[in-house]
Amino acid sequence: MPAIVGSISINSIGNSSVMNIGDVQSINPISYAKTYAGAGSFNTGEAVHVQNGYSMTYTYDGDNNDQNIVANN
């Protein structure tokens, strides 16, 4: 069923964003990221008490490819 779209104003679109005007069946944004963090980095809450001893975060990645995104265009 066709969509009737009035005037639009687009200020900016980010790198991993999806913009759609009109009808669409499915939208599949493609994005990937790799995050390194040490012990206790992503704790959330009001009363978090973390006791970490000696902690190291290894950032070496010998295989270069972790999650290949192909054939999704």
Side-chain angles (χ1 to χ4, degrees), residues 35-44 48-58:
T35 303
Y36 298 106
S41 295
F42 297 114
N43 293 325
T44 59
V48 176
H49 180 73
V50 179
Q51 290 182 324
N52 292 323
Y54 182 72
S55 175
M56 292 182 68
T57 302
Y58 295 103

Side-chain angles (χ1 to χ4, degrees), residues 4-73:
I4 299 172
V5 179
S7 63
I8 61 170
S9 175
I10 300 171
N11 294 330
S12 67
I13 295 178
N15 292 336
S16 298
S17 301
V18 174
M19 188 191 97
N20 175 55
I21 298 174
D23 297 337
V24 67
Q25 175 154 351
S26 67
I27 297 177
N28 299 318
I30 299 172
S31 177
Y32 61 91
K34 183 181 289 191
T35 303
Y36 298 106
S41 295
F42 297 114
N43 293 325
T44 59
E46 294 180 14
V48 176
H49 180 73
V50 179
Q51 290 182 324
N52 292 323
Y54 182 72
S55 175
M56 292 182 68
T57 302
Y58 295 103
T59 59
Y60 173 74
D61 186 12
D63 62 358
N64 294 326
N65 297 326
D66 290 326
Q67 185 176 8
N68 296 330
I69 299 177
V70 295
N72 270 342
N73 297 339

